[in-house]
Amino acid sequence: MAGIIDGKKISQEIKDEVKEKVEQLSKKGIQPCLAVILVGDDPASQVYVRNKKRACEYCGIKSLNYELPEETTEKELLALVDELNNSKECNGILVQLPLPKHIDENKVLLKIKPEKDVDGFHPYNVGLLSIGKADLKACTPAGCIELIKRSGVDITRKNCVVVGRSNIVGKPVGMLLLSENGTVTTCHSKTKNMSEICKSADILVVAIGKEKFIKADMVKEGAVVIDVGINRMENGKLCGDVDFAEVEKKASLITPVPGGVGPMTIAMLMNNCLIACKKQNM
Ligand code: NDP
């Protein structure tokens, strides 16, 4: 039976570390500040934004919340981002995705100053990540790496297989594993012999968005399995991209869904706010 990687516990540790560093900064009269922009009234986005606000409060990070109506124009949103880019108080800007269809997401993300891009999605930061020099790393991928390392696993020399190649998860996870000296293979929907490739993995990271897709016969005995997927099953419960019940019997370590990668994203966002604030003030 695999050991369970407890994302709730590890994310709490990270938030506590951030909180402590924020307290130290406050002695110098500095308080990190995150601006969160939500456009429209998507219920899932509202929950994410509320959770981010709560995490900020916990860590001692000031949050500025902008809840804009659905009809907000692209021009208005870009103007707000610009104002926050130039604000001395605000260290990080997060635009909650998805945006309403009449707004070009890419244009908005490009408008955010790279040093305030706490989501790590700006091409400048993605470029830095690809040369192993990023300060602001995409939160979910950075969270995967923390889960692996804080579970006592050394990535160096490991065969790492990433299933999924999205810009927000799969690709940055691959780049981070490479920076940690893993030997990385990325699989996607056009990959041949995927089962065999997955079976070669010492560390398997899965981010495809397909309910219980990875079965035990695709996993090597003793592998470390990180499941990024969040899928809602017919019964309303959440499950990952990995068939947890089967794979747990074969893996050495595995993340559950929920309670694995999920909680790490906000913890890493808090860490990015701290990093951005320090860089802007010191
Ligand atoms: P995308 O839909 O953007 O990308 C999915 C990727 O999976 C694509 O690269 C696609 O390949 C690949 N893929 C799809 N089907 C298969 C298949 N049968 N075999 C191999 N590869 C396949 O998803 P995201 O990366 O945004 O998200 C993935 C999952 O992670 C989702 O469940 C999402 O909810 C979750 N997620 C969780 C987060 C968190 O925990 N905080 C944050 C972000 C995402 P191709 O490129 O060829 O189409």
Side-chain angles (χ1 to χ4, degrees):
M1 281 298 236
I4 309 293
I5 301 179
D6 187 344
K8 273 194 199 157
K9 183 164 160 261
I10 296 176
S11 66
Q12 187 60 44
E13 279 168 22
I14 292 170
K15 281 190 283 184
D16 285 335
E17 289 164 15
V18 172
K19 187 180 163 131
E20 205 185 305
K21 288 180 190 150
V22 169
E23 276 165 15
Q24 283 163 14
L25 272 185
S26 75
K27 290 180 193 146
K28 297 182 182 149
I30 299 168
Q31 185 186 26
C33 172
L34 169 69
V36 179
I37 307 175
L38 173 65
V39 186
D41 44 19
D42 176 51
S45 294
Q46 284 171 337
V47 174
Y48 295 143
V49 166
R50 205 179 314 134
N51 290 342
K52 285 168 189 170
K53 198 174 151 196
R54 238 181 248 151
C56 281
E57 275 164 21
Y58 182 82
C59 295
I61 294 172
K62 180 172 180 179
S63 65
L64 305 171
N65 296 286
Y66 297 85
E67 301 199 0
L68 309 179
E70 179 84 22
E71 359 14 297
T72 304
T73 64
E74 187 178 282
K75 203 171 158 203
E76 285 166 334
L77 181 57
L78 291 172
L80 173 59
V81 171
D82 218 22
E83 188 188 315
L84 293 165
N85 277 340
N86 296 318
S87 146
K88 278 225 150 38
E89 182 187 29
C90 162
N91 309 118
I93 304 170
L94 185 144
V95 179
Q96 185 63 48
L97 302 179
L99 286 168
K101 289 198 175 60
H102 63 277
I103 299 178
D104 182 346
E105 267 179 20
N106 217 26
K107 230 178 180 176
V108 177
L109 295 182
L110 274 172
K111 187 79 177 172
I112 298 172
K113 251 191 193 170
E115 56 265 43
K116 295 193 177 185
D117 166 41
V118 284
D119 252 340
F121 291 162
H122 192 290
Y124 180 83
N125 286 322
V126 176
L128 286 179
L129 189 74
S130 76
I131 58 168
K133 298 211 182 304
D135 291 315
L136 298 175
K137 299 167 189 155
C139 300
T140 303
C144 294
I145 302 300
E146 284 300 315
L147 286 176
I148 298 168
K149 287 170 70 171
R150 288 179 187 239
S151 300
V153 177
D154 183 3
I155 298 168
T156 301
R157 288 188 195 85
K158 296 289 188 319
N159 283 337
C160 305
V161 174
V162 181
V163 190
R165 59 169 166 181
S166 72
N167 292 332
I168 62 164
V169 189
K171 280 183 200 154
V173 166
M175 288 193 280
L176 288 170
L177 288 165
L178 194 57
S179 297
E180 297 289 337
N181 300 317
T183 302
V184 182
T185 308
T186 301
C187 299
H188 47 77
S189 67
K190 311 284 187 293
T191 299
K192 261 202 304 187
N193 303 332
M194 205 172 78
S195 287
E196 278 164 44
I197 298 171
C198 288
K199 230 176 160 171
S200 72
D202 302 311
I203 299 174
L204 179 64
V205 182
V206 191
I208 55 177
K210 297 243 152 80
E211 184 177 325
K212 300 182 186 175
F213 184 86
I214 300 289
K215 303 289 180 191
D217 62 1
M218 299 167 85
V219 176
K220 179 167 150 179
E221 193 80 46
V224 174
V225 179
I226 306 293
D227 188 355
V228 186
I230 304 174
N231 309 290
R232 177 114 14 223
M233 294 183 287
E234 266 180 17
N235 64 10
K237 290 194 176 156
L238 294 181
C239 78
D241 292 343
V242 175
D243 191 327
F244 184 88
E246 274 191 16
V247 174
E248 186 198 15
K249 294 185 187 116
K250 232 172 157 188
S252 62
L253 286 168
I254 187 168
T255 59
V257 177
V261 176
M264 294 299 289
T265 303
I266 290 189
M268 299 315 290
L269 172 69
M270 297 299 108
N271 195 45
N272 274 352
C273 292
L274 176 69
I275 292 170
C277 174
K278 278 187 169 171
K279 278 216 85 165
Q280 287 161 40
N281 284 284
M282 294 165 129

